[in-house]
């Protein structure tokens, strides 16, 4: 699970609503692997990023050199884009958990795939 | 058909020479790849892609054309289609080069042209014009003819393997050509977030990611085995970095509202899915996570398609009366299952009759049907339906 995905996920446990975001990340196995840098793609993702959530997750994974926010003219700032590219796409959490901040419910991440299936009692109907 | 062969021999010869050239390119490719020269490989690769793309486009255009005509017919007549889809190879006599004529015929009652007659007519004309010989076992050239009530297509297949076969897909789920067609309808643009909430083996996402790489793809499924298969497919295709997988349920997506730009999905066929109730909750959830203005492209079985139309028919009495101020209390009485109070405001903005047929297919208030195509999956038929989320509130 990449941090870009983590940035999108929110808990859907019953009654939690918008307070289910962001999920607290805990990782036991992380892999960093190079991904082809595509500046156009990264630039388009920047406006969609929830920065607080991203910084929190990056902090948990002890990542360094994480930009604290978008800079002026980021579309052409290659250094900025490369750093974001690394944070969002090159760090893969293989094993760990995601925790709902409101209910405390833990969702496991296994082989890079988060399991967010809820039991019937937990779902919002 | 006879006239087509006799009056225009040049176009036949042109087509054959192009086909021959493409085959030569194919053979050259094999030799080059053995030599393992990188820049050459890339160039040849490009050509291959161009050819593949062109054919894909032709294929989808053909599917679209074909099925739009059928859809019109359906809307007007609302009767069951009478179509015989026949494929046959037929033996003929003649001289070099050897050919094999393969025909498909779509006939309705009126014309009754059988494939046998068609085959005979074409074969004899070709023989007279070019001196070609028919050979069923080992032909050099295959001629494909498709004839239906509206038009005819004559073509020469360029590939020896089915168009849907893909080198980069290890285990195919949905037929790749259909997956690609769905992706192409979805208006995928760079920087979009594309979700397939019932991805299975990930075929749709794979096709889309190959064609539109600057996009963020997310696939979800409830089944471990399917996700494992999808994972394998992604690895084999080298697309592990472009497509993320989640184990989540489509009726409970752990995504904030309005967070996804495009949804493409193959709604599972089969009796396991109880039609009305399940489909409704699936659509509600999909609609929730979709941005306003975003598109949904779904592959529906005949049953689902029929169900969509029936679902909306229960709302039709509101529309035909022309009254848009029916109180919510009354609406609930008409159809206690559905929350039709909100969909009413959307209906009131449509033009009355020419939209009525399309409206019948709108399963959910703010999802506006855009287009719909009937496609063949081999043994069964299905429908590719595209919707767009409008500004009004949800289901």
């Amino acid at each position: 699970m990449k941090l870009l995905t983590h940035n999108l996920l929110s808990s859907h446990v019953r009654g939690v609503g918008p307070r289910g975001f962001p999920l607290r990340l805990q990782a036991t196995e992380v892999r960093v692997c190079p991904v082809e840098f595509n500046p156009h793609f990264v630039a388009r993702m920047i406006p969609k990023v929830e920065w607080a959530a991203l910084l929190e997750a990056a902090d948990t994974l002890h990542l360094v050199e994480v930009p604290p926010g978008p800079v002026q003219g980021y579309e052409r700032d290659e250094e900025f884009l490369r750093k974001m590219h690394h944070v969002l796409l090159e760090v893969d959490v293989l094993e760990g958990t995601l925790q709902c901040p409101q209910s405390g419910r833990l969702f496991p991440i296994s082989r890079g795939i988060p399991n967010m299936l809820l039991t019937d009692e937990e779902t919002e109907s | 058909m006879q006239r087509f062969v006799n009056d225009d021999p040049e176009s036949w010869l042109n087509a054959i020479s192009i086909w021959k050239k493409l085959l030569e390119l194919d053979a050259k490719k094999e030799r080059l790849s053995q030599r393992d020269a990188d820049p050459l490989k890339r160039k040849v690769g490009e050509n291959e892609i161009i050819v593949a793309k062109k054919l894909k486009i032709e294929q989808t255009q053909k599917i679209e054309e074909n099925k739009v005509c059928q859809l019109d017919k359906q809307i007007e007549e609302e009767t069951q289609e009478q179509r015989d889809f026949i494929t046959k190879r037929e033996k003929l006599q003649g001289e070099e080069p050897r050919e094999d004529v393969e025909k498909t015929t779509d006939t309705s009652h009126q014309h009754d042209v059988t494939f046998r007659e068609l085959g005979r007519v074409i074969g004899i004309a070709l023989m007279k014009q070019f001196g070609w010989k028919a050979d069923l076992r080992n032909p050099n050239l295959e001629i494909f003819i498709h004839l239906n009530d509206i038009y005819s297509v004559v073509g020469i297949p360029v590939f020896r393997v089915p168009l849907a076969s893909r080198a980069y897909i290890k285990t195919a789920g949905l037929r790749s050509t259909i997956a690609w067609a769905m992706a192409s309808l979805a208006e995928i643009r760079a920087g979009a977030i594309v979700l397939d909430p019932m991805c299975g083996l990930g075929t749709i996402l794979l096709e889309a990611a190959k064609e539109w790489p600057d996009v963020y793809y997310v696939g979800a499924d409830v089944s471990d085995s399917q996700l494992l298969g999808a994972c394998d497919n992604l690895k084999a295709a080298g697309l592990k970095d472009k497509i993320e997988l989640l184990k989540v349920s489509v009726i409970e997506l752990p995504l904030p509202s309005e967070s996804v730009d495009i949804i493409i999905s193959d709604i599972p066929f089969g009796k396991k899915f109880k039609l009305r109730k399940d489909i409704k909750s699936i659509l509600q959830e999909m609609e929730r996570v979709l941005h306003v203005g975003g598109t949904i492209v779904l592959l529906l079985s005949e049953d689902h398609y029929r169900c969509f139309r029936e679902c909306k028919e229960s709302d039709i009495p509101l529309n035909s009366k022309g009254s848009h101020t029916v109180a919510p209390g009354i609406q609930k009485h008409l159809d206690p299952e559905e929350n039709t109070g909100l969909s009413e405001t959307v209906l009131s903005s449509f033009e009355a009759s020419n939209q009525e047929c399309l409206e019948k297919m709108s399963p959910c208030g703010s999802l506006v049907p855009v287009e719909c195509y009937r496609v063949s999956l081999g043994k069964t038929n299905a429908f590719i339906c595209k919707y767009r989320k409008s500004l009004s509130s949800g289901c």
Side-chain angles (χ1 to χ4, degrees), chain B residues 53-81:
Chain B
K53 264 195 211 164
K54 217 167 64 164
L55 279 166
K56 270 191 223 168
I57 294 173
E58 284 170 34
Q59 181 87 328
T60 39
Q61 275 178 354
K62 182 169 156 207
I63 294 173
E64 288 182 14
E65 275 175 67
N66 206 1
K67 304 317 162 184
V68 166
C69 301
Q70 289 190 357
L71 183 70
D72 285 341
K73 233 184 166 189
Q74 241 178 336
I75 289 180
E76 286 159 21
E77 298 169 358
E78 295 229 352
T79 56
Q80 263 206 317
E81 266 87 10

Side-chain angles (χ1 to χ4, degrees), chain A residues 11-61:
Chain A
S11 165
H12 47 307
V13 173
R14 183 191 300 194
V16 158
R19 290 182 304 264
F21 180 88
L23 294 164
R24 281 198 210 108
L25 174 63
Q26 277 258 294
T28 51
E29 191 182 331
V30 177
R31 182 179 59 196
V32 177
C33 49
V35 171
E36 194 185 326
F37 175 56
N38 185 338
H40 300 297
F41 174 67
V42 181
R44 295 218 183 231
M45 289 292 122
I46 300 294
K48 305 188 189 201
V49 169
E50 292 283 343
W51 285 92
L54 181 66
L55 292 175
E56 197 183 308
D59 197 47
T60 317
L61 299 181

Side-chain angles (χ1 to χ4, degrees), chain B residues 369-385:
Chain B
V370 175
E371 40 196 359
C372 187
Y373 301 104
R374 192 162 188 258
V375 293
S376 164
L377 299 179
K379 290 200 189 117
T380 55
N381 285 328
F383 294 87
I384 297 181
C385 296

Side-chain angles (χ1 to χ4, degrees), chain B residues 182-183 186 188 194-197 204 208 262-266 296-298:
Chain B
M182 293 174 72
I188 300 178
V194 177
L195 170 71
D196 182 350
I204 298 179
I262 291 168
I263 295 180
I264 313 177
S265 199
D266 169 10
I296 296 186
V297 179
L298 300 173

Side-chain angles (χ1 to χ4, degrees), chain A residues 1-12 21 23 31 33-36 38 40-41 44-45 48 89 92 111-118 123-125, chain B residues 190-193 213-216 218 221-223 227-228 231 235 240-249 251-256 259-261 285 288 291:
Chain A
M1 186 201 68
K2 298 180 197 284
L3 289 187
L4 181 52
T5 307
H6 168 262
N7 207 249
L8 267 185
L9 293 174
S10 104
S11 165
H12 47 307
F21 180 88
L23 294 164
R31 182 179 59 196
C33 49
V35 171
E36 194 185 326
N38 185 338
H40 300 297
F41 174 67
R44 295 218 183 231
M45 289 292 122
K48 305 188 189 201
L89 301 173
D92 206 351
R111 305 169 77 126
I113 301 178
N115 178 351
M116 302 190 68
L117 288 177
L118 295 174
T123 54
E124 293 179 296
S125 40
Chain B
I193 297 181
D214 290 345
V215 173
Y216 185 56
V218 181
D221 206 285
V222 292
S223 151
L227 282 173
L228 275 175
C231 219
K235 277 200 201 111
K240 222 168 182 312
D241 300 318
K242 294 233 172 287
I243 304 175
E244 284 270 88
L245 295 176
L246 303 172
K247 186 168 174 188
V248 297
S249 163
I251 48 178
E252 287 290 339
L253 292 171
L255 299 166
S259 54
V260 170
D261 299 308
E285 192 65 356
R288 178 185 72 82
H291 265 141

Side-chain angles (χ1 to χ4, degrees), chain B residues 94-274:
Chain B
E95 300 155 336
E96 288 257 89
R98 291 172 293 183
E99 71 164 54
D100 185 5
V101 191
E102 185 179 307
K103 294 152 210 60
T104 64
T105 337
D106 245 9
T107 60
S108 71
H109 278 330
Q110 285 119 17
H111 295 279
D112 261 340
V113 177
T114 64
F115 55 83
R116 249 180 271 273
E117 287 173 23
L118 185 62
R120 211 178 334 125
V121 163
I122 297 267
I124 293 175
L126 286 173
M127 210 172 69
K128 284 198 185 140
Q129 184 75 283
F130 300 111
W132 290 344
K133 179 185 180 179
D135 184 342
L136 192 57
R137 273 186 228 101
N138 198 12
N140 293 354
L141 176 66
E142 220 176 290
I143 299 186
F144 179 91
I145 301 169
H146 176 101
L147 175 71
N148 66 19
D149 288 341
I150 300 148
Y151 60 86
S152 61
V153 176
V154 181
I156 304 169
V158 177
F159 292 154
R160 294 207 176 273
V161 294
L163 195 64
S165 63
R166 295 284 186 266
Y168 49 82
I169 294 188
K170 199 167 159 194
T171 320
L174 183 62
R175 191 184 278 195
S176 312
T177 39
I178 304 278
W180 188 91
M182 293 174 72
S184 68
L185 279 175
E187 299 173 20
I188 300 178
R189 271 173 228 125
I193 297 181
V194 177
L195 170 71
D196 182 350
M198 291 177 280
C199 67
L201 294 168
T203 315
I204 298 179
L205 295 171
L206 282 168
E207 285 296 316
K210 275 277 176 184
E211 191 79 35
W212 295 272
D214 290 345
V215 173
Y216 185 56
Y217 294 97
V218 181
D221 206 285
V222 292
S223 151
D224 268 326
S225 55
Q226 295 280 289
L227 282 173
L228 275 175
C231 219
D232 277 345
N233 275 342
L234 295 186
K235 277 200 201 111
L239 288 172
K240 222 168 182 312
D241 300 318
K242 294 233 172 287
I243 304 175
E244 284 270 88
L245 295 176
L246 303 172
K247 186 168 174 188
V248 297
S249 163
V250 62
I251 48 178
E252 287 290 339
L253 292 171
L255 299 166
S257 301
E258 308 230 356
S259 54
V260 170
D261 299 308
I262 291 168
I263 295 180
I264 313 177
S265 199
D266 169 10
I267 305 258
F269 297 20
K271 301 189 187 78
K272 218 182 1 158
F273 259 60
K274 276 176 265 109

